[in-house]
Amino acid sequence: MKVYSFGAENAPVILLLPGTCCHWKGNFGRVIPLLSDRYRVLCVSYDGFDETEHTEFPTMLEETEKIESYIQKHCGGHIRASYGCSLGGSFVGLLAARQNIHMDYGILGSSDLDQASPFAAKLQTNLLLPLIYPVIRDGRFKSRLLQKRLTQRKSEMGDYVQAFMEMLGGARPYVTVQSCKNQFYSDLVTPLPDKINVPGTEIHIFYALKMGEKYRERYERHFANPAIHEQDLQHEELLACYPERWVQWVKDIMEGKR
């Protein structure tokens, strides 16, 4: 795991956590310059997903421990905020629940917080991975039918589908199928406690309404008093398509304005 740092060393820290099988630049490359004018931005590049390392993603808990260790060593165990894109929201929840570090604000971006039994998780992983992995490795679907369907969706949904694909980070042949498998499976089987409530930590959630109503129930189950910011958008559409608006929302939260 690597952590990339931007901005002044003595500025308040915001930790950025990428989504499932994503490259950190694909997720946050456009917003880092807009945040680092006022904050010290720490962007995590997970084990198995950084081109400068020869590693594989272990488990969600092992990676969480590495993140905690970094924050304890380099930030005195305290940060102003963390933002988790999709799967990164699971890390935000784990960091809050474990209380080994302290953050003033934890922000989840359209996270689905899916959980499953080991059997169901293994089944889902084995079904989805052959479809998804070629996109990670080669930047495109192996199936001509799926690639054609993606092209159709791009024409139907405007900029969103293209922006979402760019968030993944393009072709990355160095990412192993085992890293993708470990991350996907581990996220499904790692339990997130209910009614997480940490004194001094506010949980904020960017709720993309077009994902469906069931996600509101999950947010309210796992967190005691989350501030849910409704957005009439698709999954992580605010970050993918409207980076300036995303930055303003995040800054407003960190400054107590939302």
Side-chain angles (χ1 to χ4, degrees):
M1 186 191 83
K2 293 191 72 171
V3 177
Y4 294 90
S5 179
F6 307 87
E9 288 289 319
N10 59 348
V13 172
I14 177 170
L15 181 75
L16 302 180
L17 298 151
T20 308
C21 299
C22 289
H23 191 272
W24 67 275
K25 283 185 182 178
N27 273 194
F28 300 116
R30 291 192 296 169
V31 299
I32 287 172
L34 304 177
L35 288 171
S36 58
D37 63 336
R38 198 178 306 175
Y39 297 95
R40 180 184 175 196
V41 181
L42 301 179
C43 192
V44 173
S45 185
Y46 302 129
D47 280 313
F49 296 93
D50 192 280
E51 65 273 25
T52 69
E53 297 183 323
H54 299 285
T55 57
E56 285 189 339
F57 189 89
T59 66
M60 291 292 290
L61 288 179
E62 288 175 273
E63 204 77 350
T64 300
E65 289 172 359
K66 291 185 178 184
I67 294 168
E68 290 170 342
S69 178
Y70 184 94
I71 294 172
Q72 289 164 351
K73 181 178 179 180
H74 297 277
C75 307
H78 175 263
I79 58 175
R80 174 68 62 85
S82 64
Y83 179 92
C85 172
S86 190
L87 166 131
S90 295
F91 280 114
V92 174
L94 290 169
L95 290 170
R98 288 159 58 88
Q99 298 189 52
N100 292 322
I101 60 98
H102 183 81
M103 53 188 166
D104 300 328
Y105 301 94
I107 310 170
L108 288 76
S110 304
S111 304
D112 55 42
L113 303 182
D114 279 334
Q115 296 188 321
S117 69
F119 176 79
K122 185 175 182 179
L123 185 62
Q124 288 184 49
T125 301
N126 289 340
L127 286 172
L128 290 175
L129 207 58
L131 303 177
I132 296 172
Y133 181 64
V135 180
I136 307 303
R137 182 190 61 204
D138 307 322
R140 58 182 292 112
F141 287 107
K142 185 176 182 180
S143 165
R144 290 184 180 180
L145 180 62
L146 289 175
Q147 192 62 37
K148 182 178 179 181
R149 180 58 181 154
L150 177 63
T151 302
Q152 290 174 342
R153 293 290 285 175
K154 286 181 180 179
S155 64
E156 294 167 1
M157 301 182 69
D159 295 336
Y160 171 67
V161 174
Q162 180 60 38
F164 190 83
M165 293 300 293
E166 290 173 359
M167 282 183 67
L168 286 173
R172 288 167 290 147
Y174 57 87
V175 176
T176 68
V177 67
Q178 191 64 46
S179 282
C180 296
K181 182 177 183 178
N182 290 352
Q183 190 177 78
F184 192 84
Y185 174 82
S186 179
D187 185 40
L188 287 171
V189 300
T190 303
L192 189 64
D194 289 344
K195 298 301 179 182
I196 298 169
N197 186 13
V198 180
T201 297
E202 291 184 12
I203 297 295
H204 292 254
I205 298 168
F206 290 179
Y207 175 29
L209 292 171
K210 292 181 180 179
M211 288 175 60
E213 185 63 26
K214 67 179 180 181
Y215 294 101
R216 185 196 306 275
E217 298 172 4
R218 292 184 188 179
Y219 301 147
E220 292 177 341
R221 180 173 78 246
H222 289 298
F223 301 99
N225 297 292
I228 297 177
H229 305 278
E230 295 183 355
Q231 300 159 351
D232 190 24
L233 298 170
Q234 303 282 352
H235 178 74
E236 280 293 10
E237 186 176 355
L238 186 67
L239 175 61
C241 298
Y242 310 103
E244 291 84 5
R245 283 173 52 190
W246 179 93
V247 167
Q248 193 58 57
W249 274 78
V250 170
K251 285 184 175 180
D252 285 350
I253 288 171
M254 289 192 287
E255 292 164 13
K257 298 178 181 178
R258 289 188 183 271

